[in-house]
Amino acid sequence: MLNILVLCTGNSARSILGEALLNTPELNKGKFRGFSAGSQPLGQVNPGAIRLLSSYGYDTDCFHSKSWDVFSSAEAPAIDIVITVCDNAANEACPLFSGAAIKSHWGLPDPAAEPSERSAKAFEQVYQRLRAGIEQLAALPLEALASAELKRELEKISATL
């Protein structure tokens, strides 16, 4: 089972949605576990992310905004894949993970940056794009792919989002 870290700056919206989706059994098919973190965590999950996840039946009590430092301790799970979700087009500073994990960038707009009247739609769109990427990831023969092949497949997925 692969450990996948979804990384963003604030760890309050996109990365939380990614963590939730990665841990959805019908999506991950027992192939991976998801985590999320931020390089500068906001300390709380965005209410829009909580509302959306609640609407899909997720127990939102388990989600919290945390620093990527929690994944650098000896007790932390070894991370196999890091997916950054910052939107380069918006000139966000995307954190760089220094571990040995395979890295992929899935640039997505920040739904929390949308005006309140468009916020719910923005969260839904990011959720659906992440879901599509995770469905593609779960369809791969992960146990049979070498690191370089997995990296290429992750970049192909990124290009579809």
Side-chain angles (χ1 to χ4, degrees):
M1 181 176 295
L2 296 174
N3 290 324
I4 302 174
L5 175 63
V6 184
L7 187 60
C8 203
T9 305
N11 188 222
S12 69
R14 293 166 286 191
S15 53
I16 296 290
L17 297 178
E19 176 183 4
L21 285 160
L22 285 166
N23 289 316
T24 303
E26 63 267 17
L27 294 178
N28 70 31
K29 300 175 179 155
K31 293 182 175 187
F32 42 77
R33 285 188 308 174
F35 303 93
S36 71
S39 58
Q40 299 171 7
L42 295 179
Q44 64 183 16
V45 177
N46 184 286
I50 295 293
R51 279 191 296 277
L52 179 78
L53 292 173
S54 293
S55 77
Y56 280 106
Y58 288 92
D59 175 7
T60 58
D61 291 339
C62 64
F63 300 109
H64 60 282
S65 178
K66 59 203 159 296
S67 173
W68 60 4
D69 294 344
V70 301
F71 295 98
S72 62
S73 72
E75 301 83 39
I79 300 299
D80 302 297
I81 299 171
V82 174
I83 298 172
T84 55
V85 291
C86 301
D87 183 9
N88 285 343
N91 295 320
E92 291 180 270
C94 206
L96 297 174
F97 191 78
S98 62
I102 296 168
K103 296 162 190 77
S104 183
H105 179 69
W106 296 5
L108 299 167
D110 184 0
E114 290 294 325
S116 60
E117 67 272 8
R118 292 197 310 253
S119 178
K121 183 178 181 180
F123 273 96
E124 179 66 32
Q125 288 172 337
V126 168
Y127 177 88
Q128 293 302 331
R129 288 173 69 184
L130 282 166
R131 182 181 177 99
I134 291 165
E135 287 174 344
Q136 292 176 64
L137 179 63
L140 295 173
L142 296 174
E143 61 286 338
L145 295 175
S147 292
E149 293 170 312
L150 180 53
K151 171 81 173 156
R152 278 192 300 277
E153 292 298 328
L154 287 165
E155 295 313 313
K156 286 180 189 175
I157 292 170
S158 174
T160 69
L161 304 178

